[in-house]
Amino acid sequence: MHKEIITLKNKPRILSSASVVGKKEREGPLGAYFDLTEDDIKFGQKTYEAAESECQRLALNMALHKAGLRHDELSVVISGDLINQCTSSTYGLIDLDVPYLGIFGACSTCAEGLLIGSMLIDGGYFYRAGIATSSHFCTAERQFRTPIEYGGQRTPTAQWTVTGSGAFILGQGEECLPYIDEVLPGKVFDKGIKDAANMGAAMAPAAADTLLRFFSQSDMKPSDFNLIVTGDLGVEGLSITRELTKLDGLVLGPEYDDCGCLVYDRQKQDVHAGGSGCGCSAVVTAGYIMDRFKNGGYKNVLLLGTGALMSPMTIQQGNSIAAVAHLVHIKAD
Amino acid sequence: MHKEIITLKNKPRILSSASVVGKKEREGPLGAYFDLTEDDIKFGQKTYEAAESECQRLALNMALHKAGLRHDELSVVISGDLINQCTSSTYGLIDLDVPYLGIFGACSTCAEGLLIGSMLIDGGYFYRAGIATSSHFCTAERQFRTPIEYGGQRTPTAQWTVTGSGAFILGQGEECLPYIDEVLPGKVFDKGIKDAANMGAAMAPAAADTLLRFFSQSDMKPSDFNLIVTGDLGVEGLSITRELTKLDGLVLGPEYDDCGCLVYDRQKQDVHAGGSGCGCSAVVTAGYIMDRFKNGGYKNVLLLGTGALMSPMTIQQGNSIAAVAHLVHIKAD
């Protein structure tokens, strides 16, 4: 078998990151790590969709500001979101006047963006890249499940879509900054889960596959990492991932966690299985994990962006939920 | 101004390509150039969406076959389509067992895939990449406009979504094969067009901007190319693009055409302004243009994938249509 892990030779660095979230996320355990929080669920806009666009615009602007850069110093923006046709990204970033590459990996979009962006920076194809992604509880809920006003009861495996956006600026930079050392793109898995309120179970096989492929080809073991974190499996998907990897001999210890479990207090915040959405792994990585690299002594983190590649139509037509998990190894010297 | 055109140093080659289309496309002027045509609008499947997935699966399989390769000899598949959440791509390629990167550029997806894929092959990050994209008249019409059964009258500027899929295999290969020499990612433009039946006008400013940026930085002039071809502007968008570029001093001669104008006989096939959809530029490039490189003496082609980044929701909410145009310079020695 040829080696699938892609090692980046020129240490593409995360020059800055920024996270913008709503009220519920601010009230969660990681609230203090986010750069900007907004009580207005509409972010001052007319629609939830425009709110999500605004959220993404704010996050990218703030990341640029933190890096001391202007828009026109970006070579490219790589961006995507959950809303049909990547609406939030397109309309949020429209005034940038910067080349734009749209991507779609459902909730794995943050990791997919870091993966593609880091390779293109590493190879010198772009000098600096902005990576941005977002989700919004109200846009996702009404697109994928039921109208907000319906107020349907949520099942125990349901997750709560994070309202928030995370953005990163990648480029060559100072040696003290974290960099992307390795990436491993995910394969698509479909194990027959049809319940749009149980995405953790649908995504766990993809996460397990990517983790197993990584550790079978890497010299590192799970305990070498400060954190191995999946994007938004929630408690249900997290425990399935532990079991699936264990069946193949990969035991994940206390270093393994999930952004969807970290972002909310599941006991107090009524979020059932945890957080989800493109914004989930994006704000936890841009806010919390990047802070831990700066102030918490983190040296090695494995981020596994997990995405349930369903659409409202595939659910209506009775298809099961396909999923993917992209891996990014973030490192500091 | 720094140079925005990205020159690829290692000549990532188009090892093979394949095109699969429906009946109407076979009956058009380029009919003889397509590899596989299917009279059944459902491609033997239960739904139009499943038909589009099948179409994409067939195209990628056929491209692999023509290159003498198996699935597991691909390092990655880069794919996307028009249907919400890239359904056709995800479900069409699910059995591949190959890492998958989803992209979204609306109808520019073919060029976006070639652009990203060629850089990642050029840099050695992947050994071989499959690029696939598709569209289907019935899936697009009912998603973006009206139910098929409604049978609404079409306006003169309306375009006909191509039912088809084009796939390419990129990698290092023999010197006789065409290669991707340069790429230039597009910026997002929104000039206020709100008519979903006039996408040509919405996309033309993006196409003109990318063309103007290319020729202001390139040593080549339009007449150096065998063909400069936009993705799916139709007659309306093509003439606007000619006018917009002319205003800035770039005169496009007879070498400039549009895949949407080439793919159908507008007089006989009742397609109004021409063809459109992700599949439009994909099948024209994979079928016709690749044949011209092999048998027609083509040495230089500029492909501008054009995409209208609207969604049904943005139209319903009264937003205007944002657009992008990605450029790929295909060359042969």
PDB file of all heavy atoms in Angstrom, chain A residues 155-159 193 195 197-205 230 232-244 256 258 260-261 266 271-275:
ATOM      1  N   THR A 155     -35.000  14.268  19.241  1.00  0.00           N
ATOM      2  CA  THR A 155     -34.658  12.940  19.754  1.00  0.00           C
ATOM      3  C   THR A 155     -33.334  13.008  20.516  1.00  0.00           C
ATOM      4  O   THR A 155     -32.559  13.948  20.346  1.00  0.00           O
ATOM      5  CB  THR A 155     -34.524  11.942  18.586  1.00  0.00           C
ATOM      6  OG1 THR A 155     -33.456  12.387  17.746  1.00  0.00           O
ATOM      7  CG2 THR A 155     -35.808  11.863  17.779  1.00  0.00           C
ATOM      8  N   PRO A 156     -33.065  11.998  21.348  1.00  0.00           N
ATOM      9  CA  PRO A 156     -31.845  12.040  22.176  1.00  0.00           C
ATOM     10  C   PRO A 156     -30.553  12.099  21.359  1.00  0.00           C
ATOM     11  O   PRO A 156     -29.558  12.647  21.810  1.00  0.00           O
ATOM     12  CB  PRO A 156     -31.907  10.731  22.973  1.00  0.00           C
ATOM     13  CG  PRO A 156     -33.328  10.316  22.938  1.00  0.00           C
ATOM     14  CD  PRO A 156     -33.899  10.830  21.664  1.00  0.00           C
ATOM     15  N   THR A 157     -30.576  11.540  20.129  1.00  0.00           N
ATOM     16  CA  THR A 157     -29.346  11.557  19.323  1.00  0.00           C
ATOM     17  C   THR A 157     -29.213  12.833  18.494  1.00  0.00           C
ATOM     18  O   THR A 157     -28.213  13.022  17.805  1.00  0.00           O
ATOM     19  CB  THR A 157     -29.325  10.358  18.349  1.00  0.00           C
ATOM     20  OG1 THR A 157     -30.526  10.397  17.570  1.00  0.00           O
ATOM     21  CG2 THR A 157     -29.213   9.043  19.093  1.00  0.00           C
ATOM     22  N   ALA A 158     -30.219  13.692  18.538  1.00  0.00           N
ATOM     23  CA  ALA A 158     -30.156  14.930  17.758  1.00  0.00           C
ATOM     24  C   ALA A 158     -29.034  15.820  18.279  1.00  0.00           C
ATOM     25  O   ALA A 158     -28.674  15.770  19.449  1.00  0.00           O
ATOM     26  CB  ALA A 158     -31.484  15.670  17.839  1.00  0.00           C
ATOM     27  N   GLN A 159     -28.486  16.635  17.379  1.00  0.00           N
ATOM     28  CA  GLN A 159     -27.437  17.564  17.780  1.00  0.00           C
ATOM     29  C   GLN A 159     -27.914  18.989  17.529  1.00  0.00           C
ATOM     30  O   GLN A 159     -28.884  19.207  16.803  1.00  0.00           O
ATOM     31  CB  GLN A 159     -26.157  17.241  17.006  1.00  0.00           C
ATOM     32  CG  GLN A 159     -25.597  15.882  17.396  1.00  0.00           C
ATOM     33  CD  GLN A 159     -24.430  15.438  16.524  1.00  0.00           C
ATOM     34  OE1 GLN A 159     -24.541  14.471  15.791  1.00  0.00           O
ATOM     35  NE2 GLN A 159     -23.327  16.147  16.620  1.00  0.00           N
ATOM     36  N   ILE A 193     -27.302   4.517   7.664  1.00  0.00           N
ATOM     37  CA  ILE A 193     -28.082   5.333   8.620  1.00  0.00           C
ATOM     38  C   ILE A 193     -28.972   6.307   7.844  1.00  0.00           C
ATOM     39  O   ILE A 193     -28.492   7.028   6.975  1.00  0.00           O
ATOM     40  CB  ILE A 193     -27.137   6.145   9.538  1.00  0.00           C
ATOM     41  CG1 ILE A 193     -26.159   5.237  10.278  1.00  0.00           C
ATOM     42  CG2 ILE A 193     -27.950   7.018  10.509  1.00  0.00           C
ATOM     43  CD1 ILE A 193     -26.745   4.435  11.388  1.00  0.00           C
ATOM     44  N   ASP A 195     -31.414   8.301   9.583  1.00  0.00           N
ATOM     45  CA  ASP A 195     -32.014   9.233  10.533  1.00  0.00           C
ATOM     46  C   ASP A 195     -31.220  10.540  10.564  1.00  0.00           C
ATOM     47  O   ASP A 195     -30.103  10.586  11.078  1.00  0.00           O
ATOM     48  CB  ASP A 195     -32.035   8.568  11.912  1.00  0.00           C
ATOM     49  CG  ASP A 195     -32.640   9.467  12.976  1.00  0.00           C
ATOM     50  OD1 ASP A 195     -33.073  10.589  12.637  1.00  0.00           O
ATOM     51  OD2 ASP A 195     -32.677   9.043  14.144  1.00  0.00           O
ATOM     52  N   ALA A 197     -31.553  12.850  12.364  1.00  0.00           N
ATOM     53  CA  ALA A 197     -31.325  13.279  13.745  1.00  0.00           C
ATOM     54  C   ALA A 197     -30.324  12.356  14.437  1.00  0.00           C
ATOM     55  O   ALA A 197     -30.227  12.314  15.655  1.00  0.00           O
ATOM     56  CB  ALA A 197     -32.642  13.314  14.509  1.00  0.00           C
ATOM     57  N   ASN A 198     -29.584  11.592  13.650  1.00  0.00           N
ATOM     58  CA  ASN A 198     -28.515  10.779  14.238  1.00  0.00           C
ATOM     59  C   ASN A 198     -27.298  10.812  13.321  1.00  0.00           C
ATOM     60  O   ASN A 198     -26.838   9.790  12.813  1.00  0.00           O
ATOM     61  CB  ASN A 198     -28.983   9.339  14.481  1.00  0.00           C
ATOM     62  CG  ASN A 198     -27.991   8.571  15.352  1.00  0.00           C
ATOM     63  OD1 ASN A 198     -26.965   9.118  15.764  1.00  0.00           O
ATOM     64  ND2 ASN A 198     -28.293   7.308  15.626  1.00  0.00           N
ATOM     65  N   MET A 199     -26.788  11.990  13.118  1.00  0.00           N
ATOM     66  CA  MET A 199     -25.659  12.149  12.199  1.00  0.00           C
ATOM     67  C   MET A 199     -24.372  11.600  12.780  1.00  0.00           C
ATOM     68  O   MET A 199     -23.473  11.207  12.044  1.00  0.00           O
ATOM     69  CB  MET A 199     -25.493  13.618  11.850  1.00  0.00           C
ATOM     70  CG  MET A 199     -26.698  14.161  11.097  1.00  0.00           C
ATOM     71  SD  MET A 199     -26.406  15.834  10.569  1.00  0.00           S
ATOM     72  CE  MET A 199     -26.027  16.596  12.148  1.00  0.00           C
ATOM     73  N   GLY A 200     -24.284  11.567  14.105  1.00  0.00           N
ATOM     74  CA  GLY A 200     -23.070  11.023  14.743  1.00  0.00           C
ATOM     75  C   GLY A 200     -22.816   9.598  14.297  1.00  0.00           C
ATOM     76  O   GLY A 200     -21.689   9.218  13.951  1.00  0.00           O
ATOM     77  N   ALA A 201     -23.883   8.798  14.284  1.00  0.00           N
ATOM     78  CA  ALA A 201     -23.754   7.403  13.869  1.00  0.00           C
ATOM     79  C   ALA A 201     -23.396   7.297  12.389  1.00  0.00           C
ATOM     80  O   ALA A 201     -22.644   6.408  11.976  1.00  0.00           O
ATOM     81  CB  ALA A 201     -25.054   6.656  14.149  1.00  0.00           C
ATOM     82  N   ALA A 202     -23.924   8.220  11.580  1.00  0.00           N
ATOM     83  CA  ALA A 202     -23.635   8.185  10.142  1.00  0.00           C
ATOM     84  C   ALA A 202     -22.179   8.555   9.863  1.00  0.00           C
ATOM     85  O   ALA A 202     -21.551   8.008   8.949  1.00  0.00           O
ATOM     86  CB  ALA A 202     -24.577   9.148   9.402  1.00  0.00           C
ATOM     87  N   MET A 203     -21.629   9.468  10.675  1.00  0.00           N
ATOM     88  CA  MET A 203     -20.277   9.951  10.407  1.00  0.00           C
ATOM     89  C   MET A 203     -19.181   9.130  11.073  1.00  0.00           C
ATOM     90  O   MET A 203     -18.024   9.162  10.635  1.00  0.00           O
ATOM     91  CB  MET A 203     -20.161  11.416  10.864  1.00  0.00           C
ATOM     92  CG  MET A 203     -21.044  12.365  10.069  1.00  0.00           C
ATOM     93  SD  MET A 203     -20.715  14.108  10.427  1.00  0.00           S
ATOM     94  CE  MET A 203     -21.585  14.328  11.983  1.00  0.00           C
ATOM     95  N   ALA A 204     -19.513   8.404  12.138  1.00  0.00           N
ATOM     96  CA  ALA A 204     -18.493   7.683  12.892  1.00  0.00           C
ATOM     97  C   ALA A 204     -17.661   6.719  12.025  1.00  0.00           C
ATOM     98  O   ALA A 204     -16.430   6.672  12.170  1.00  0.00           O
ATOM     99  CB  ALA A 204     -19.133   6.951  14.071  1.00  0.00           C
ATOM    100  N   PRO A 205     -18.273   5.949  11.110  1.00  0.00           N
ATOM    101  CA  PRO A 205     -17.458   5.029  10.291  1.00  0.00           C
ATOM    102  C   PRO A 205     -16.415   5.769   9.442  1.00  0.00           C
ATOM    103  O   PRO A 205     -15.302   5.270   9.246  1.00  0.00           O
ATOM    104  CB  PRO A 205     -18.496   4.334   9.400  1.00  0.00           C
ATOM    105  CG  PRO A 205     -19.780   4.426  10.161  1.00  0.00           C
ATOM    106  CD  PRO A 205     -19.718   5.753  10.858  1.00  0.00           C
ATOM    107  N   THR A 230     -12.572  15.002  16.803  1.00  0.00           N
ATOM    108  CA  THR A 230     -13.472  14.931  15.651  1.00  0.00           C
ATOM    109  C   THR A 230     -14.350  16.180  15.635  1.00  0.00           C
ATOM    110  O   THR A 230     -14.480  16.873  16.642  1.00  0.00           O
ATOM    111  CB  THR A 230     -14.340  13.661  15.711  1.00  0.00           C
ATOM    112  OG1 THR A 230     -14.782  13.456  17.058  1.00  0.00           O
ATOM    113  CG2 THR A 230     -13.552  12.451  15.269  1.00  0.00           C
ATOM    114  N   ASP A 232     -17.864  16.920  14.763  1.00  0.00           N
ATOM    115  CA  ASP A 232     -19.193  17.079  15.364  1.00  0.00           C
ATOM    116  C   ASP A 232     -19.937  15.757  15.397  1.00  0.00           C
ATOM    117  O   ASP A 232     -21.045  15.628  14.889  1.00  0.00           O
ATOM    118  CB  ASP A 232     -20.003  18.148  14.634  1.00  0.00           C
ATOM    119  CG  ASP A 232     -20.165  17.863  13.150  1.00  0.00           C
ATOM    120  OD1 ASP A 232     -19.419  17.018  12.621  1.00  0.00           O
ATOM    121  OD2 ASP A 232     -21.053  18.464  12.524  1.00  0.00           O
ATOM    122  N   LEU A 233     -19.300  14.770  16.057  1.00  0.00           N
ATOM    123  CA  LEU A 233     -19.959  13.470  16.172  1.00  0.00           C
ATOM    124  C   LEU A 233     -20.931  13.441  17.340  1.00  0.00           C
ATOM    125  O   LEU A 233     -21.837  12.610  17.373  1.00  0.00           O
ATOM    126  CB  LEU A 233     -18.909  12.370  16.358  1.00  0.00           C
ATOM    127  CG  LEU A 233     -17.914  12.198  15.204  1.00  0.00           C
ATOM    128  CD1 LEU A 233     -16.955  11.060  15.503  1.00  0.00           C
ATOM    129  CD2 LEU A 233     -18.651  11.931  13.901  1.00  0.00           C
ATOM    130  N   GLY A 234     -20.734  14.321  18.315  1.00  0.00           N
ATOM    131  CA  GLY A 234     -21.570  14.266  19.511  1.00  0.00           C
ATOM    132  C   GLY A 234     -21.237  13.025  20.333  1.00  0.00           C
ATOM    133  O   GLY A 234     -20.377  12.221  19.960  1.00  0.00           O
ATOM    134  N   VAL A 235     -21.910  12.850  21.471  1.00  0.00           N
ATOM    135  CA  VAL A 235     -21.601  11.705  22.346  1.00  0.00           C
ATOM    136  C   VAL A 235     -21.869  10.374  21.663  1.00  0.00           C
ATOM    137  O   VAL A 235     -21.123   9.413  21.845  1.00  0.00           O
ATOM    138  CB  VAL A 235     -22.412  11.702  23.664  1.00  0.00           C
ATOM    139  CG1 VAL A 235     -21.743  12.584  24.689  1.00  0.00           C
ATOM    140  CG2 VAL A 235     -23.853  12.099  23.445  1.00  0.00           C
ATOM    141  N   GLU A 236     -22.917  10.329  20.881  1.00  0.00           N
ATOM    142  CA  GLU A 236     -23.280   9.086  20.199  1.00  0.00           C
ATOM    143  C   GLU A 236     -22.171   8.673  19.212  1.00  0.00           C
ATOM    144  O   GLU A 236     -21.640   7.575  19.280  1.00  0.00           O
ATOM    145  CB  GLU A 236     -24.596   9.317  19.433  1.00  0.00           C
ATOM    146  CG  GLU A 236     -25.100   8.149  18.626  1.00  0.00           C
ATOM    147  CD  GLU A 236     -25.912   7.167  19.443  1.00  0.00           C
ATOM    148  OE1 GLU A 236     -26.026   7.354  20.671  1.00  0.00           O
ATOM    149  OE2 GLU A 236     -26.414   6.195  18.848  1.00  0.00           O
ATOM    150  N   GLY A 237     -21.805   9.583  18.348  1.00  0.00           N
ATOM    151  CA  GLY A 237     -20.791   9.292  17.343  1.00  0.00           C
ATOM    152  C   GLY A 237     -19.413   9.083  17.950  1.00  0.00           C
ATOM    153  O   GLY A 237     -18.633   8.255  17.480  1.00  0.00           O
ATOM    154  N   LEU A 238     -19.125   9.828  19.012  1.00  0.00           N
ATOM    155  CA  LEU A 238     -17.839   9.684  19.685  1.00  0.00           C
ATOM    156  C   LEU A 238     -17.680   8.270  20.241  1.00  0.00           C
ATOM    157  O   LEU A 238     -16.644   7.620  20.048  1.00  0.00           O
ATOM    158  CB  LEU A 238     -17.722  10.723  20.803  1.00  0.00           C
ATOM    159  CG  LEU A 238     -16.419  10.751  21.615  1.00  0.00           C
ATOM    160  CD1 LEU A 238     -16.052  12.199  21.964  1.00  0.00           C
ATOM    161  CD2 LEU A 238     -16.522   9.943  22.903  1.00  0.00           C
ATOM    162  N   SER A 239     -18.711   7.767  20.882  1.00  0.00           N
ATOM    163  CA  SER A 239     -18.569   6.434  21.480  1.00  0.00           C
ATOM    164  C   SER A 239     -18.524   5.359  20.386  1.00  0.00           C
ATOM    165  O   SER A 239     -17.812   4.367  20.515  1.00  0.00           O
ATOM    166  CB  SER A 239     -19.676   6.178  22.504  1.00  0.00           C
ATOM    167  OG  SER A 239     -20.873   5.852  21.857  1.00  0.00           O
ATOM    168  N   ILE A 240     -19.245   5.572  19.285  1.00  0.00           N
ATOM    169  CA  ILE A 240     -19.175   4.604  18.174  1.00  0.00           C
ATOM    170  C   ILE A 240     -17.768   4.609  17.566  1.00  0.00           C
ATOM    171  O   ILE A 240     -17.206   3.560  17.243  1.00  0.00           O
ATOM    172  CB  ILE A 240     -20.233   4.917  17.088  1.00  0.00           C
ATOM    173  CG1 ILE A 240     -21.648   4.808  17.667  1.00  0.00           C
ATOM    174  CG2 ILE A 240     -20.098   3.952  15.899  1.00  0.00           C
ATOM    175  CD1 ILE A 240     -22.754   5.267  16.708  1.00  0.00           C
ATOM    176  N   THR A 241     -17.193   5.805  17.423  1.00  0.00           N
ATOM    177  CA  THR A 241     -15.844   5.900  16.863  1.00  0.00           C
ATOM    178  C   THR A 241     -14.833   5.168  17.752  1.00  0.00           C
ATOM    179  O   THR A 241     -13.971   4.434  17.264  1.00  0.00           O
ATOM    180  CB  THR A 241     -15.437   7.382  16.697  1.00  0.00           C
ATOM    181  OG1 THR A 241     -16.391   8.009  15.849  1.00  0.00           O
ATOM    182  CG2 THR A 241     -14.058   7.515  16.075  1.00  0.00           C
ATOM    183  N   ARG A 242     -14.943   5.362  19.064  1.00  0.00           N
ATOM    184  CA  ARG A 242     -14.058   4.628  19.994  1.00  0.00           C
ATOM    185  C   ARG A 242     -14.185   3.118  19.792  1.00  0.00           C
ATOM    186  O   ARG A 242     -13.202   2.397  19.768  1.00  0.00           O
ATOM    187  CB  ARG A 242     -14.451   4.938  21.447  1.00  0.00           C
ATOM    188  CG  ARG A 242     -13.846   6.203  22.003  1.00  0.00           C
ATOM    189  CD  ARG A 242     -13.969   6.193  23.540  1.00  0.00           C
ATOM    190  NE  ARG A 242     -13.725   7.500  24.080  1.00  0.00           N
ATOM    191  CZ  ARG A 242     -12.513   8.022  24.270  1.00  0.00           C
ATOM    192  NH1 ARG A 242     -11.443   7.316  23.974  1.00  0.00           N
ATOM    193  NH2 ARG A 242     -12.368   9.246  24.745  1.00  0.00           N
ATOM    194  N   GLU A 243     -15.418   2.672  19.661  1.00  0.00           N
ATOM    195  CA  GLU A 243     -15.642   1.218  19.522  1.00  0.00           C
ATOM    196  C   GLU A 243     -15.126   0.694  18.188  1.00  0.00           C
ATOM    197  O   GLU A 243     -14.504  -0.360  18.119  1.00  0.00           O
ATOM    198  CB  GLU A 243     -17.130   0.896  19.657  1.00  0.00           C
ATOM    199  CG  GLU A 243     -17.595   0.927  21.101  1.00  0.00           C
ATOM    200  CD  GLU A 243     -19.045   0.497  21.236  1.00  0.00           C
ATOM    201  OE1 GLU A 243     -19.433  -0.488  20.579  1.00  0.00           O
ATOM    202  OE2 GLU A 243     -19.788   1.159  21.981  1.00  0.00           O
ATOM    203  N   LEU A 244     -15.421   1.457  17.106  1.00  0.00           N
ATOM    204  CA  LEU A 244     -15.005   0.997  15.772  1.00  0.00           C
ATOM    205  C   LEU A 244     -13.484   0.939  15.647  1.00  0.00           C
ATOM    206  O   LEU A 244     -12.937  -0.008  15.073  1.00  0.00           O
ATOM    207  CB  LEU A 244     -15.571   1.931  14.689  1.00  0.00           C
ATOM    208  CG  LEU A 244     -17.070   1.820  14.388  1.00  0.00           C
ATOM    209  CD1 LEU A 244     -17.478   2.888  13.375  1.00  0.00           C
ATOM    210  CD2 LEU A 244     -17.420   0.429  13.862  1.00  0.00           C
ATOM    211  N   TYR A 256      -8.691  11.760  23.171  1.00  0.00           N
ATOM    212  CA  TYR A 256      -9.707  11.852  22.119  1.00  0.00           C
ATOM    213  C   TYR A 256     -10.969  12.547  22.626  1.00  0.00           C
ATOM    214  O   TYR A 256     -11.532  12.164  23.653  1.00  0.00           O
ATOM    215  CB  TYR A 256     -10.056  10.467  21.558  1.00  0.00           C
ATOM    216  CG  TYR A 256     -11.234  10.503  20.604  1.00  0.00           C
ATOM    217  CD1 TYR A 256     -11.298  11.458  19.596  1.00  0.00           C
ATOM    218  CD2 TYR A 256     -12.292   9.618  20.718  1.00  0.00           C
ATOM    219  CE1 TYR A 256     -12.389  11.539  18.739  1.00  0.00           C
ATOM    220  CE2 TYR A 256     -13.384   9.677  19.855  1.00  0.00           C
ATOM    221  CZ  TYR A 256     -13.420  10.652  18.878  1.00  0.00           C
ATOM    222  OH  TYR A 256     -14.502  10.740  18.039  1.00  0.00           O
ATOM    223  N   ASP A 258     -14.411  15.408  21.083  1.00  0.00           N
ATOM    224  CA  ASP A 258     -15.178  15.825  19.913  1.00  0.00           C
ATOM    225  C   ASP A 258     -15.596  17.290  20.084  1.00  0.00           C
ATOM    226  O   ASP A 258     -16.032  17.690  21.169  1.00  0.00           O
ATOM    227  CB  ASP A 258     -16.427  14.931  19.789  1.00  0.00           C
ATOM    228  CG  ASP A 258     -17.283  15.288  18.588  1.00  0.00           C
ATOM    229  OD1 ASP A 258     -16.861  14.979  17.460  1.00  0.00           O
ATOM    230  OD2 ASP A 258     -18.352  15.890  18.785  1.00  0.00           O
ATOM    231  N   GLY A 260     -18.120  18.764  19.062  1.00  0.00           N
ATOM    232  CA  GLY A 260     -19.542  18.830  19.402  1.00  0.00           C
ATOM    233  C   GLY A 260     -19.816  18.572  20.868  1.00  0.00           C
ATOM    234  O   GLY A 260     -20.820  19.032  21.424  1.00  0.00           O
ATOM    235  N   CYS A 261     -18.916  17.815  21.525  1.00  0.00           N
ATOM    236  CA  CYS A 261     -19.055  17.576  22.965  1.00  0.00           C
ATOM    237  C   CYS A 261     -18.425  18.714  23.768  1.00  0.00           C
ATOM    238  O   CYS A 261     -18.845  19.007  24.885  1.00  0.00           O
ATOM    239  CB  CYS A 261     -18.385  16.261  23.356  1.00  0.00           C
ATOM    240  SG  CYS A 261     -19.173  14.829  22.605  1.00  0.00           S
ATOM    241  N   ARG A 266     -23.640  19.782  27.873  1.00  0.00           N
ATOM    242  CA  ARG A 266     -24.785  18.962  27.480  1.00  0.00           C
ATOM    243  C   ARG A 266     -25.822  18.810  28.593  1.00  0.00           C
ATOM    244  O   ARG A 266     -27.005  18.614  28.334  1.00  0.00           O
ATOM    245  CB  ARG A 266     -24.332  17.588  26.994  1.00  0.00           C
ATOM    246  CG  ARG A 266     -23.585  17.639  25.657  1.00  0.00           C
ATOM    247  CD  ARG A 266     -23.543  16.282  24.999  1.00  0.00           C
ATOM    248  NE  ARG A 266     -23.153  15.259  25.951  1.00  0.00           N
ATOM    249  CZ  ARG A 266     -23.966  14.328  26.429  1.00  0.00           C
ATOM    250  NH1 ARG A 266     -25.204  14.256  26.008  1.00  0.00           N
ATOM    251  NH2 ARG A 266     -23.532  13.449  27.308  1.00  0.00           N
ATOM    252  N   VAL A 271     -28.844  20.369  24.639  1.00  0.00           N
ATOM    253  CA  VAL A 271     -28.429  20.188  23.242  1.00  0.00           C
ATOM    254  C   VAL A 271     -28.419  18.717  22.838  1.00  0.00           C
ATOM    255  O   VAL A 271     -27.918  18.362  21.777  1.00  0.00           O
ATOM    256  CB  VAL A 271     -27.031  20.797  22.985  1.00  0.00           C
ATOM    257  CG1 VAL A 271     -27.071  22.303  23.144  1.00  0.00           C
ATOM    258  CG2 VAL A 271     -25.983  20.169  23.903  1.00  0.00           C
ATOM    259  N   HIS A 272     -28.922  17.859  23.719  1.00  0.00           N
ATOM    260  CA  HIS A 272     -28.973  16.427  23.452  1.00  0.00           C
ATOM    261  C   HIS A 272     -27.563  15.873  23.179  1.00  0.00           C
ATOM    262  O   HIS A 272     -26.696  16.008  24.039  1.00  0.00           O
ATOM    263  CB  HIS A 272     -29.965  16.136  22.332  1.00  0.00           C
ATOM    264  CG  HIS A 272     -31.356  16.569  22.720  1.00  0.00           C
ATOM    265  ND1 HIS A 272     -32.366  15.710  22.971  1.00  0.00           N
ATOM    266  CD2 HIS A 272     -31.869  17.803  22.933  1.00  0.00           C
ATOM    267  CE1 HIS A 272     -33.456  16.382  23.316  1.00  0.00           C
ATOM    268  NE2 HIS A 272     -33.173  17.647  23.302  1.00  0.00           N
ATOM    269  N   ALA A 273     -27.295  15.346  21.990  1.00  0.00           N
ATOM    270  CA  ALA A 273     -26.015  14.641  21.795  1.00  0.00           C
ATOM    271  C   ALA A 273     -24.811  15.571  21.623  1.00  0.00           C
ATOM    272  O   ALA A 273     -23.675  15.116  21.582  1.00  0.00           O
ATOM    273  CB  ALA A 273     -26.122  13.690  20.607  1.00  0.00           C
ATOM    274  N   GLY A 274     -25.026  16.889  21.502  1.00  0.00           N
ATOM    275  CA  GLY A 274     -23.898  17.817  21.367  1.00  0.00           C
ATOM    276  C   GLY A 274     -24.076  18.775  20.209  1.00  0.00           C
ATOM    277  O   GLY A 274     -25.151  18.866  19.617  1.00  0.00           O
ATOM    278  N   GLY A 275     -23.018  19.476  19.885  1.00  0.00           N
ATOM    279  CA  GLY A 275     -23.066  20.457  18.806  1.00  0.00           C
ATOM    280  C   GLY A 275     -22.790  19.823  17.454  1.00  0.00           C
ATOM    281  O   GLY A 275     -22.258  18.724  17.364  1.00  0.00           O
TER     282      GLY A 275
END
